[in-house]
Amino acid sequence: MRNAPTILHLDMDAFYASAEQASKPSLRGKAVVVGGLGPRGVVATASYEARAFGVHSAMPMAQARRLAPHAAYLVPRFGLYRAVSEQVMGLLRELSPLVEPLSLDEAFVDLAASGAASDAESARRAGVRLREDIRAVTGLTGSVGLAASKMLAKIASERAKPDGLVLIEPGTERALLGPLPVRTLPGVGPATGDHLRRAGMTTVEELAEAGEDELVRLVGKAHGQALYAMALARDERPVVAERETKSVSVEDTYDVDIHDRLRIGLEVRRLADRCVRRLREARLSGRTIVLKVRRYDFSTLTRSETLRGPTDDPAVVREAAERLLESVDTTGGVRLLGVGVSGLADYTQEDLFAQAARPSRAVPTAQEPVPEPAAEASVPEQPHWRAGQDVTHAEFGHGWVQGSGVGRVTVRFETPQSPPGRVRTFLVTDPDLRPADPLPLVPTAAAGSPAGDRLPSRTDGSGASAGR
């Protein structure tokens, strides 16, 4: 393990909910819950104000509504989250060539790889400056952990939340880990935690005292050896630069099971088109088409078909997904559908029409724009407005949907840079009201200058731990 805390772990604070609060001035400082709003929805992220009521990620949305009935409940806007994540990851890559993203809002950084830090003080300065740059560029906050290993850096960032920085000095790791619950260690989930508790081990120090042989006896050789090493604060895992994408996929969970076979087919076509759009955005193509179906009884089936070469042709992917659907029994209804493409490459084989398309159908070339989802033909005439959705009105400008029902939609008109806006109600069919793209959280000019001016001299700043 290293002798300096040069591994940094960044975890953005309540990322989705914080992005929604930054985007909607009327929600700042208030309880916000982001996730699926239907009967089967689950919480993706809750703001710290909502967490005070006991709401947390992965909780059923119905339970969250009982705990925090006055919170704002919003659908996720992944386009916005991805855009902000790209800004954050860009700042991390300016800091070091070794960045290991774990999700949209979390990553490890090896500060030593670029010379950004070589000891505790320079690592702290780099962490402080990174947090400042993230706030300047995105308007959001992130918590930073610094340590000599990945495991300890992640533990440090958890202790730093929200909006803080914690550095674990080399030599203090055992003292810090000892009193912590065994669930703190990576790989110790509820089942393993309960098993260790029944054996009389509830803290990390008790794991260390039990010894490697006892842990191997309890949980097996590989897991036992790893647990013992972690209990002694040993973690030699390197920061691994961003891995290549192995697959691209999309899926939807439906509030009510779909029984109509025609509707299921339309949904599969729509998902295939969405998947191809993601492929093209990433400038990739793929050979293997995968269909995922979760049925009414929660059983999940996957079917796949491998083509002769990679493609990003929407018709090829649609027709392959439709063929795969033909082999799936959807009697009883389906609750989830997904389409994915794997076996990725950065080129496209031009003659794939012969391998996947039916002879009677004309297939557009790979250079054609991806058409809009075919399922739109089955959408009711009245538009469906979802809470949190961006909209624009010909007279009132940009806003977001607060709610809809009984043929009406309520919109609050405000932007990230405006004061809290006014609320107005319209007929859901109002021709002046249209869906819109999310607005940047920070104006482009402001986002470009602070970080751009500071990044080259990032390690020359100074500062102390921001605490929790």
Side-chain angles (χ1 to χ4, degrees):
M1 207 162 73
R2 305 180 183 204
N3 56 11
T6 54
I7 292 182
L8 179 149
H9 180 260
L10 171 71
D11 196 352
M12 299 295 289
D13 299 321
F15 182 48
Y16 297 172
S18 295
E20 296 297 341
Q21 289 175 317
S23 180
K24 302 173 171 64
S26 59
L27 297 184
R28 292 170 190 169
K30 298 182 180 179
V32 173
V33 181
V34 179
L37 302 186
R40 295 169 175 164
V42 297
V43 175
T45 307
S47 69
Y48 286 99
E49 296 85 356
R51 294 180 192 188
F53 294 95
V55 181
H56 58 78
S57 300
M59 172 182 284
M61 192 62 79
Q63 182 181 354
R65 289 184 185 274
R66 290 193 294 270
L67 293 172
H70 303 298
Y73 289 87
L74 309 174
V75 294
R77 296 185 298 158
F78 290 108
L80 171 65
Y81 310 148
R82 281 193 291 269
V84 176
S85 175
E86 288 172 4
Q87 292 177 304
V88 172
M89 296 302 166
L91 291 173
L92 298 183
R93 293 185 188 100
E94 292 283 348
L95 192 57
S96 171
L98 284 184
V99 176
E100 183 178 342
L102 304 178
S103 62
L104 288 177
D105 62 335
E106 186 180 2
F108 287 109
V109 183
D110 187 338
L111 298 176
S114 63
S118 58
D119 55 20
E121 187 54 34
S122 59
R124 188 187 303 278
R125 289 198 303 267
V128 169
R129 185 62 62 88
L130 173 64
R131 293 180 57 243
E132 292 173 351
D133 288 345
I134 288 173
R135 187 187 293 272
V137 170
T138 69
L140 305 181
T141 63
S143 295
V144 167
L146 292 157
S149 70
K150 291 169 72 171
M151 177 185 73
L152 290 164
K154 185 172 174 63
I155 290 172
S157 70
E158 282 295 319
R159 294 169 66 87
K161 282 188 167 293
D163 191 19
L165 182 152
V166 166
L167 183 148
I168 299 176
E169 294 277 0
T172 67
E173 295 93 347
R174 288 288 302 277
L176 180 144
L177 279 177
L180 297 180
V182 294
R183 290 285 305 277
T184 304
L185 300 179
V188 180
T192 302
D194 287 344
H195 190 52
L196 294 170
R197 178 182 52 80
R198 289 193 295 270
M201 304 174 203
T202 59
T203 67
V204 175
E205 183 59 32
E206 288 168 345
L207 292 182
E209 291 174 351
E212 183 175 346
D213 291 343
E214 177 64 9
L215 293 176
V216 168
R217 186 185 69 81
L218 285 171
V219 298
K221 184 176 181 180
H223 201 182
Q225 291 175 339
L227 272 181
Y228 184 64
M230 289 188 291
L232 298 180
R234 298 174 186 164
D235 179 16
E236 302 294 342
R237 293 175 300 160
V239 175
V240 179
E242 197 168 358
R243 296 178 175 88
E244 290 185 6
T245 303
K246 294 184 178 179
S247 65
V248 173
S249 63
V250 297
E251 62 183 42
D252 277 343
T253 300
Y254 304 99
D255 294 339
V256 179
D257 290 348
I258 303 175
H259 293 82
D260 182 69
R261 186 75 178 189
L262 176 61
R263 167 80 188 284
I264 294 171
L266 290 172
E267 288 294 316
V268 167
R269 289 173 62 86
R270 181 179 63 83
L271 289 165
D273 288 341
R274 279 175 52 195
C275 184
V276 169
R277 281 198 294 275
R278 287 196 180 180
L279 271 179
R280 291 187 172 183
E281 287 170 1
R283 298 177 181 173
L284 295 170
S285 58
R287 300 183 66 233
T288 301
I289 315 303
V290 180
L291 175 71
K292 177 179 177 181
V293 180
R294 181 166 296 150
R295 299 189 290 190
Y296 70 98
D297 58 357
F298 287 88
S299 61
T300 302
L301 304 176
T302 58
R303 299 288 186 270
S304 64
E305 175 181 322
T306 299
L307 309 176
R308 292 187 308 187
T311 185
D312 66 352
D313 187 318
V316 171
V317 176
R318 279 199 305 269
E319 295 197 6
E322 288 177 314
R323 285 196 299 277
L324 294 171
L325 179 62
E326 292 172 0
S327 66
V328 177
D329 180 8
T330 59
T331 304
V334 300
R335 56 184 292 124
L336 176 148
L337 291 167
V339 174
V341 178
S342 60
L344 301 183
D346 57 2
Y347 65 93
T348 304
Q349 184 168 313
E350 298 293 342
D351 63 349
L352 290 181
F353 174 75
Q355 71 188 357
R358 295 188 177 103
S360 60
R361 297 190 183 182
V363 180
T365 66
Q367 285 73 35
E368 287 188 46
V370 181
E372 288 302 309
E376 286 188 359
S378 66
V379 176
E381 291 183 7
Q382 289 192 347
H384 180 57
W385 302 106
R386 303 185 299 166
Q389 176 183 354
D390 290 277
V391 296
T392 186
H393 190 274
E395 180 181 354
F396 302 108
H398 190 91
W400 58 278
V401 175
Q402 281 199 324
S404 64
V406 200
R408 288 174 171 79
V409 55
T410 300
V411 177
R412 184 180 289 273
F413 291 98
E414 59 187 4
T415 70
Q417 286 75 49
S418 75
R422 298 184 62 181
V423 174
R424 296 184 180 274
T425 299
F426 309 91
L427 293 175
V428 295
T429 55
D430 190 322
D432 290 335
L433 188 67
R434 303 187 309 277
D437 292 328
L439 297 178
L441 301 184
V442 175
T444 304
S449 59
D453 292 344
R454 290 199 299 263
L455 280 173
S457 57
R458 185 187 302 274
T459 58
D460 296 333
S462 63
S465 170
R468 295 192 180 194

